[in-house]
Amino acid sequence: MTNENQAVLDVQKIRKTYGRVEALREIDLRVAAGEFLTLLGASGSGKTTLLRIIAGFETPDSGRVSIRGADMTWASAAERQIGMVFQNYALFPHLTVLENVMFPLEMRRITRRAAADRARAALDSVHLGVFGDRYPRQLSGGQQQRVALARAIVFEPSLLLLDEPFSALDRRLRESMQQEVKQLQSSLGLTTIFITHDQEEALVMSDRIAVMGGGAIRQIGTPAEIYYHPNSISVATFVGESNIFEGVPKGRSFYAASGAHFSLAAPTDCNRMLIRPEAITLSRASVPADPREANVFAAQVLDRSFVGGFTVYRVRLAQGDEVSVRAIAREGAIFQPGETLQLTVAPADCRPLTDRSAA
Amino acid sequence: MTGALVHLRGPRATGMLLTAPAAMLLLVLFFYPLATLFLTTLHPDNIENYARVVSSGTYMQVYLNTLRLAVIVTVIDLVIAYPLAFYMCRLTGGSRMVAFFLLLIPLWTSQLVRTYAWMVLLGRNGPINSALMALGLTDTPLRLSNSEFAVVIGMVHILLPYMVLPIYSSASKIDRSLLEASRGLGAGAFSTLTRVLIPLTIHGVLAGVSLVLVLSLGVFIMPALLGGGRVPVIPLLIEQQAGSFLNWAMAGTFCVILLAMVLVIFWLIKLSTRLLVRGRVHA
Amino acid sequence: MLERRSRTRFLRRIGNVAHHIFSWVTFLFLLTPLLIVIPISFSGGSYLSFPPESYSTRWYETYFAQDSWIDATILSLQVGVVATVISVAVGFLFALGITRGLRKWGPALEKVALAPMIVPSIVYSVSMYSLFSRLGLVGNWFGIALAHAILCLPFVVIVLTASLREYDIDQETAAMGLGASRLTAIRRITIPQIRPSLLSAAFLAFITSFDELVVAMFLSGTFGTLPKKMFDNIRLQIDPTIAAVSVMEILMVILVMAVLMRLNRANVGRLS
């Protein structure tokens, strides 16, 4: 194996069952140095089990976990040099903030003075330098979060694991913490695995996303790949809003069950198709269009909801399909329920779902 | 490699390793001597002791008396503890702390000290008699101690916290709004008690009852010191057989029968808990 | 209608007041015996009367002057400390075991460890006497301590399993993720956080042994623990020395309880 394509983390054919429940079935995953990878999935999808196996808190039934090329499948958590931030932070309440951050260094037999210096530097990097003598309970949720982060990176781990670290924070704080973590991660070049069930968070932060479900990785790719080219209904509906059509493909055409006909950018044999709500345009003026460049339908507005920067409309095509549309809310371009409009979708935005399995 | 071994042993093996010292201690110093005691009473030389106990009116009388005393004490404790537990749930902050303090101090003070205190309180020249005479309610001091009355008071006092604590723990889990809802739905105080409170606290009540009943069957100090020889109970009988007559075989037989009694009662209450709880679920 | 409402309100208020009175009378009932021994321990006369005719500290002096009292006290302290150490050490490991590895068998095993609580102490004493007389341990203070450790174990197990079940196991996992071995994680992270419960367990174990009469009576042979000495004293020559001993014991309990409650409150404050 050459050095440059050596992954920091290499997970091979990991299986885990609890009693008769298959928590993980044959997981393969490689994470490159400096990469920010997100495991995205609902609860019960297997993402937490996978994280615990990577961290060394659980052992797989079969398969292999290597870190920097060394087999760590059976190594204890302490031997793995992994920094982890827990969902509830798991700060030690009986130790001060500084002592918390010093803990992993002391466990590595670093002298108290050197440990204290490094811990202070780590606290500085999360802007908590002055809080070293406080106890965790005296800090706000966001500050506790940063202490947990400082504690996880202070010993320069080869891998950083973040287990839904933002779920306890309110929306505004969460967004600023997301940015801060992302910045810290890229400036330190930390290889990071992030767990979340929040698709927006995953899209914002990740280099790559692995969508998990039913103990398997459903799809893995960049946020754009996952968003624009989901391979299945489950991935499509989990990441972003979607309009799903079932029907029959025919070359570069797709005939929905209702009879609506769509032109596609490329021939397909998939019998499901996805259109993102923001890919659809509504207009009052009827513009004649080339069906190879645009799919045009007559549609009636059923209802609308104003969501800040954009408006979500529910419309019904003349053929009967109900479609949700997301349009930028420009004053004067707001449509009333009951209005009949022209609906346009580019063929390139009609995306066949390659996964043939049932949702 | 050592890591692998640690993991292969797994959490269950670790758990077994951790529980082993206690298990060994219990096995050698608890279950083994009890089993030996039981087997000794079955020895051909001793087995007829069972017949002697069962056929003897006096001994059976003592067993019945022990049971009767235990039931009396349990009922009194239940009647006192039930409202007290709810009262403690109503308290908050400092006064709840004080209430706990008052409940736990007697629990944690020596039984001998408390029994001695009752001997003083109930004595011929004790404060109760002094007060009664000062009030002119009686001319001569009443004989309060050295009686079943004194034993019952002492036992009620010593075992009360054992009844209060389990009832408190189940009562404190009841949502206050539930009681208000019951009243709001038009239930009176009595039906709130029988239809809402008692079903919700039945676990605590039965735990308290079994604890007090079982403990009062084995009480030794109070009958010995407050009974003045007038309150025959099995633990006294055992002590007499072993300590004075050095008849260990007979003492053993008494022990086995007493233990059987305790276990049967314990089991009956367990059973009734299960039945009551299941009945409620189906109802 | 209005009349009925005010009647209901009136009845409810009466019930409320009755509940108050009943409860505080009960607390008084619980406390009175402990209060009554205080004046008696300071009585000047040599026989029991209440209220005492004169006051003195002679019964405290008697206690400290008589070797038999002091010896019995020292013996009981010794037995109590050893029984506490054994039962807390063994009970803590046991509680760790049933709350971690043995989640499935835990509850059943816990019940086994609670068994000494329901076996009457006289029954246990008789069975232990026959074991110890075969081993030649009757009259050996360490034998009493062992037997007491069994009686203390249920209290230790109840307190510590409850505390460990409440304890956030992620703390220990986190420590191990940060490089600690399981043992270090328990020593540095778990034990400091459940320290109040460990102290409570030790206290319960100690008083269980320190107050225990029946087992000590059977197993102590010729010498006696403090409860045995008190028991004989009450039986034979009921004099106020016993009241002085009682007051000292009560004070000890109150003191330790106050310390424990403070510690617990401090701990609750820190964890919340």
Side-chain angles (χ1 to χ4, degrees):
Chain A
M1 201 178 275
T2 58
N3 222 8
E4 57 198 54
N5 81 32
Q6 179 177 344
V8 169
L9 175 74
D10 192 356
V11 169
Q12 288 166 11
K13 296 200 160 98
I14 290 289
R15 281 171 182 278
K16 179 76 182 176
T17 53
Y18 293 108
R20 302 176 70 185
V21 182
E22 245 189 329
L24 293 178
R25 29 189 173 194
E26 285 231 343
I27 298 281
D28 285 295
L29 183 68
R30 284 163 66 88
V31 184
E35 188 177 19
F36 192 113
L37 179 113
T38 297
L39 298 176
L40 175 66
S43 59
S45 60
K47 60 187 194 303
T48 302
T49 307
L50 179 57
L51 188 83
R52 290 180 66 84
I53 286 175
I54 294 170
F57 302 136
E58 304 260 357
T59 49
D61 299 340
S62 65
R64 207 175 115 105
V65 176
S66 332
I67 296 172
R68 291 200 189 284
D71 184 0
M72 286 283 177
T73 318
W74 301 102
S76 73
E79 294 169 79
R80 297 187 187 206
Q81 297 288 329
I82 291 178
M84 179 152 172
V85 175
F86 287 76
Q87 194 169 3
N88 57 3
Y89 316 145
L91 295 178
F92 306 134
H94 63 297
L95 302 180
T96 64
V97 165
L98 188 68
E99 286 167 337
N100 262 284
V101 181
M102 282 168 67
F103 186 85
L105 300 173
E106 284 180 53
M107 291 303 114
R108 288 168 175 77
R109 312 227 174 278
I110 289 165
T111 59
R112 258 192 99 73
R113 175 173 298 184
D117 288 344
R118 279 174 67 179
R120 276 195 207 96
L123 282 173
D124 282 337
S125 72
V126 295
H127 315 297
L128 282 178
V130 293
F131 292 110
D133 293 332
R134 302 224 187 155
Y135 283 95
R137 82 196 122 98
Q138 296 167 315
L139 303 183
S140 70
Q143 290 169 331
Q144 293 185 14
Q145 162 89 76
R146 290 181 205 185
V147 177
L149 192 63
R151 190 177 68 175
I153 61 174
V154 69
F155 58 100
E156 290 163 9
S158 39
L159 189 61
L160 178 65
L161 304 183
L162 306 170
D163 184 8
E164 306 223 12
F166 307 126
S167 58
L169 304 177
D170 65 57
R171 192 185 172 84
R172 185 167 298 198
L173 192 55
R174 195 185 315 165
E175 281 169 7
S176 74
M177 279 309 294
Q178 285 169 2
Q179 289 205 343
E180 202 174 317
V181 167
K182 184 68 195 160
Q183 262 168 26
L184 195 69
Q185 184 265 339
S186 50
S187 70
L188 296 177
L190 274 168
T191 313
T192 304
I193 296 181
F194 176 73
I195 276 211
T196 186
H197 62 269
D198 182 335
Q199 44 103 5
E200 249 176 79
E201 202 165 82
L203 293 172
V204 168
M205 299 190 73
S206 321
D207 296 329
R208 277 197 305 157
I209 298 174
V211 183
M212 294 195 66
I217 292 177
R218 298 280 188 206
Q219 190 176 359
I220 187 162
T222 63
E225 280 166 5
I226 298 286
Y227 188 80
Y228 291 116
H229 303 284
N231 62 3
S232 63
I233 293 185
S234 60
V235 173
T237 52
F238 199 79
V239 182
E241 301 293 312
S242 32
N243 295 301
I244 307 281
F245 294 88
E246 306 214 10
V248 187
K250 200 171 186 185
R252 289 175 54 160
S253 288
F254 186 91
Y255 295 92
S258 62
H261 166 257
F262 296 87
S263 298
L264 306 176
T268 183
D269 58 351
C270 302
N271 46 20
R272 291 200 189 87
M273 184 189 73
L274 161 80
I275 301 175
R276 293 290 186 193
E278 68 276 12
I280 301 174
T281 317
L282 292 174
S283 60
R284 286 205 178 98
S286 66
V287 184
D290 182 349
R292 267 166 305 177
E293 283 162 31
N295 294 298
V296 177
F297 299 93
Q300 192 181 28
V301 177
L302 297 175
D303 56 39
R304 65 156 193 246
S305 39
F306 183 63
V307 201
F310 48 85
T311 305
V312 174
Y313 295 95
R314 212 155 56 80
V315 302
R316 187 189 290 131
L317 303 187
Q319 286 82 352
D321 298 278
E322 278 188 22
V323 177
S324 109
V325 180
R326 209 194 263 228
I328 293 175
R330 245 183 263 114
E331 266 193 307
I334 293 175
F335 308 114
Q336 303 304 323
E339 264 189 89
T340 303
L341 304 166
Q342 189 184 62
L343 184 153
T344 317
V345 193
D349 288 322
C350 300
R351 302 179 187 281
L353 297 172
T354 49
D355 181 25
R356 234 158 291 218
S357 64
Chain B
M1 208 54 224
T2 52
L5 285 175
V6 169
H7 279 286
L8 283 176
R9 274 203 261 118
R12 191 185 293 173
T14 315
M16 264 149 58
L17 214 65
L18 287 169
T19 49
M24 283 303 291
L25 211 60
L26 282 167
L27 204 64
V28 175
L29 292 175
F30 185 73
F31 292 106
Y32 170 70
L34 285 176
T36 320
L37 178 77
F38 177 58
L39 291 177
T40 314
T41 64
L42 296 181
H43 191 271
D45 294 345
N46 303 327
I47 188 106
E48 76 265 23
N49 281 341
Y50 284 104
R52 281 195 8 228
V53 174
V54 175
S55 63
S56 150
T58 339
Y59 290 153
M60 288 316 280
Q61 202 62 47
V62 179
Y63 272 105
L64 281 179
N65 196 46
T66 311
L67 186 61
R68 188 178 59 89
L69 217 55
V71 170
I72 291 173
V73 169
T74 308
V75 169
I76 296 176
D77 270 341
L78 180 59
V79 170
I80 299 177
Y82 202 77
L84 191 67
F86 275 91
Y87 185 75
M88 289 177 65
C89 291
R90 282 173 48 179
L91 298 177
T92 50
S95 43
R96 182 183 283 199
M97 200 87 157
V98 170
F100 259 100
F101 210 66
L102 293 179
L103 191 70
L104 293 180
I105 288 181
L107 180 66
W108 289 355
T109 352
S110 155
Q111 288 199 20
L112 277 166
V113 170
R114 286 182 285 169
T115 309
Y116 169 74
W118 279 110
M119 290 173 76
V120 173
L121 270 169
L122 300 171
R124 250 185 106 71
N125 306 314
I128 292 179
N129 265 322
S130 309
L132 289 177
M133 287 200 291
L135 290 171
L137 290 172
T138 174
D139 298 330
T140 54
L142 300 175
R143 195 176 59 79
L144 298 170
S145 68
N146 293 337
S147 64
E148 190 176 284
F149 170 74
V151 175
V152 169
I153 282 213
M155 286 170 67
V156 163
H157 181 251
I158 280 179
L159 298 173
L160 184 61
Y162 291 101
M163 187 70 90
V164 177
L165 290 174
I167 298 179
Y168 170 83
S169 88
S170 58
S172 63
K173 285 178 200 130
I174 299 180
D175 194 346
R176 264 195 92 71
S177 59
L178 215 59
L179 307 183
E180 279 151 19
S182 162
R183 282 202 183 136
L185 292 171
F190 183 73
S191 39
T192 302
L193 181 71
T194 54
R195 304 286 292 277
V196 182
L197 289 187
I198 292 181
L200 285 173
T201 49
I202 194 75
H203 266 291
V205 166
L206 288 170
V209 163
S210 68
L211 203 56
V212 172
L213 207 50
V214 160
L215 289 175
S216 52
L217 285 171
V219 155
F220 171 80
I221 296 174
M222 278 135 287
L225 293 179
L226 286 167
R230 293 189 181 83
V231 185
V233 291
I234 294 300
L236 285 184
L237 206 60
I238 295 171
E239 196 260 345
Q240 189 188 42
Q241 289 289 337
S244 310
F245 306 155
L246 297 177
N247 188 350
W248 290 92
M250 196 65 197
T253 307
F254 281 130
C255 282
V256 170
I257 298 177
L258 179 64
L259 188 56
M261 215 159 113
V262 166
L263 293 178
V264 165
I265 288 175
F266 203 70
W267 176 75
L268 279 176
I269 293 176
K270 266 268 142 66
L271 200 72
S272 61
T273 310
R274 210 172 301 156
L275 286 177
L276 278 171
V277 172
R278 189 182 302 161
R280 225 180 64 219
V281 170
H282 283 271
Chain C
M1 192 64 203
L2 200 80
E3 195 179 302
R4 207 179 128 201
R5 199 157 86 193
S6 67
R7 218 188 68 190
T8 314
R9 202 176 283 167
F10 177 70
L11 281 177
R12 195 171 288 170
R13 189 168 303 161
I14 294 262
N16 222 346
V17 169
H19 200 184
H20 271 289
I21 294 175
F22 169 85
S23 304
W24 289 102
V25 166
T26 308
F27 284 129
L28 195 68
F29 163 75
L30 281 170
L31 207 60
T32 308
L34 306 184
L35 296 177
I36 216 79
V37 294
I38 297 173
I40 288 171
S41 74
F42 288 106
S43 81
S46 52
Y47 70 99
L48 270 179
S49 66
F50 193 91
E53 279 124 22
S54 60
Y55 291 93
S56 76
T57 55
R58 57 186 282 204
W59 304 111
Y60 289 90
E61 288 155 25
T62 312
Y63 167 81
F64 284 107
Q66 279 185 19
D67 284 347
S68 60
W69 278 111
I70 299 298
D71 290 348
T73 308
I74 290 173
L75 181 71
S76 274
L77 287 171
Q78 199 175 333
V79 168
V81 167
V82 172
T84 302
V85 169
I86 295 176
S87 61
V88 171
V90 162
F92 176 57
L93 294 181
F94 183 83
L96 271 179
I98 62 172
T99 50
R100 303 289 162 81
L102 303 174
R103 294 233 177 85
K104 194 166 158 198
W105 290 90
L109 265 170
E110 189 180 347
K111 283 194 187 102
V112 172
L114 301 189
M117 221 163 70
I118 65 159
V119 172
S121 57
I122 188 106
V123 173
Y124 181 57
S125 306
V126 170
S127 76
M128 281 302 271
Y129 180 84
S130 66
L131 176 70
F132 275 12
S133 59
R134 267 177 288 148
L135 298 173
L137 275 172
V138 173
N140 185 323
W141 70 268
F142 188 70
I144 303 176
L146 277 176
H148 278 179
I150 294 289
L151 298 182
C152 303
L153 195 60
F155 298 100
V156 175
V157 168
I158 288 174
V159 171
L160 292 184
T161 44
S163 157
L164 283 172
R165 288 212 170 101
E166 238 169 67
Y167 170 73
D168 176 15
I169 190 93
D170 264 358
Q171 296 266 332
E172 215 172 284
T173 316
M176 287 164 67
L178 294 169
S181 65
R182 166 80 74 180
L183 207 64
T184 312
I186 288 176
R187 193 169 52 81
R188 291 276 309 267
I189 303 300
T190 306
I191 288 182
Q193 288 186 58
I194 63 159
R195 188 166 284 147
S197 302
L198 276 170
L199 290 175
S200 296
F203 171 63
L204 278 176
F206 180 76
I207 56 170
T208 301
S209 163
F210 194 71
D211 294 343
E212 206 286 330
L213 169 70
V214 181
V215 169
M217 212 164 65
F218 274 79
L219 300 183
S220 63
T222 50
F223 63 93
T225 59
L226 188 60
K228 196 183 165 199
K229 170 84 178 153
M230 287 166 78
F231 184 71
D232 292 342
N233 192 282
I234 295 171
R235 238 185 191 178
L236 302 174
Q237 51 175 102
I238 184 157
D239 74 33
T241 316
I242 193 89
V245 177
S246 301
V247 169
M248 289 187 279
E249 278 200 22
I250 292 167
L251 283 180
M252 178 188 85
V253 167
I254 291 180
L255 200 77
V256 178
M257 249 184 86
V259 169
L260 282 180
M261 277 194 165
R262 261 195 87 98
L263 275 177
N264 265 321
R265 200 164 36 181
N267 196 59
V268 166
R270 194 159 70 188
L271 293 181
S272 64

